[in-house]
């Protein structure tokens, strides 16, 4: 199984990204096209997953709100956040969605470790979490996936240096008692090329592709 990497230097529209993902997923299943990991940024917007609750959209702030076919609830995308969309045939990996999500978590954890940040899983809370000095926990990366005909769509979002105030328009992933953080908020000031390199290395380690 082969994988293609694509990096978009300019922000990508959400609807255009969804259309591209769907077309590639169809090509993977129908034509044997290679898998794709697409690293990009969006302009500020909110997306509502299949479990989103209307009351968790607190204030759209004039940003677009998109219904999304991925699992999960509301999330924010915007500049300074590295989104990784993964289109991967899961059949050779045992058609195991739980394993796939675990691998996405490990991908993020290893990427963060390359910047000396300890990212952690939490039972019942989707995403990757950082424990602050005062013992509080903030989310640094989100995960939301869809699987169609055993091909994955959507993926992960890692907060590099987004405007964290923009998360205040929603209850991120339906979790009100915890906040969000970023590499920059943790004192790690890096550019997207360094983040992309870390993501590629960690992906190869976890997925073996």
């Amino acid at each position: 199984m082969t994988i293609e990497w694509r990096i978009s230097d300019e922000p990508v529209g959400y609807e255009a990204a969804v259309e591209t993902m769907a077309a590639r997923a169809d090509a993977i299943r129908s034509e044997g096209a290679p898998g794709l990991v697409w690293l990009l940024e969006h302009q500020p917007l909110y997306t509502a997953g299949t479990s989103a609750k209307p009351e968790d959209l607190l204030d759209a702030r004039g940003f677009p709100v998109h219904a999304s076919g991925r699992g999960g609830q509301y999330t924010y995308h915007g500049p300074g956040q590295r989104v990784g969309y993964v289109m991967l045939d899961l059949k050779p990996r045992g058609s195991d969605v739980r394993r796939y999500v675990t691998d996405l978590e490990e991908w993020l954890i290893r990427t963060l470790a390359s910047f000396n940040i300890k990212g952690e899983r939490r039972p019942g809370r989707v995403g990757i979490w950082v424990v602050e000095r005062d013992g509080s926990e903030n989310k640094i990366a989100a995960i939301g996936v869809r699987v169609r005909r055993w091909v994955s769509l959507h993926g992960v979002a890692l907060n590099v240096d987004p405007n964290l105030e923009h998360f205040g328009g929603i209850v991120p992933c339906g979790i009100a008692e915890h906040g969000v953080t970023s590499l920059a908020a943790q004192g790690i000031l890096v550019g997207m090329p360094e983040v992309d390199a870390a993501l590629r290395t960690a992906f190869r380690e976890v997925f073996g592709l």
Side-chain angles (χ1 to χ4, degrees), residues 41-90:
E41 293 174 89
H42 290 301
Q43 294 290 5
L45 58 89
Y46 298 119
T47 65
T50 55
S51 301
K53 301 174 183 177
E55 61 268 25
D56 285 347
L57 179 61
L58 305 177
D59 179 4
R61 303 182 177 209
F63 298 156
V65 180
H66 296 272
S68 174
R70 62 164 175 79
Q73 302 188 44
Y74 278 102
T75 192
Y76 165 77
H77 295 310
Q81 182 190 70
R82 185 49 108 202
V83 175
Y85 289 136
V86 183
M87 288 129 275
L88 192 65
D89 186 353
L90 299 185

Side-chain angles (χ1 to χ4, degrees), residues 149-162:
R149 297 169 66 198
W150 293 115
V151 177
S152 65
L153 300 98
H154 300 277
V156 305
L158 175 61
N159 295 335
V160 179
D161 190 14

Side-chain angles (χ1 to χ4, degrees), residues 4-12 36-42 81-87 107-108 111 156-158 192-201 203:
E4 175 191 344
W5 286 83
R6 182 182 303 172
I7 297 175
S8 293
D9 295 326
E10 299 295 327
V12 177
L36 173 66
V37 180
W38 187 10
L39 304 180
L40 56 85
E41 293 174 89
H42 290 301
Q81 182 190 70
R82 185 49 108 202
V83 175
Y85 289 136
V86 183
M87 288 129 275
W107 178 30
L108 291 165
T111 298
V156 305
L158 175 61
M192 285 299 180
E194 291 89 347
V195 173
D196 293 344
L199 284 165
R200 292 187 69 154
T201 297
F203 190 92

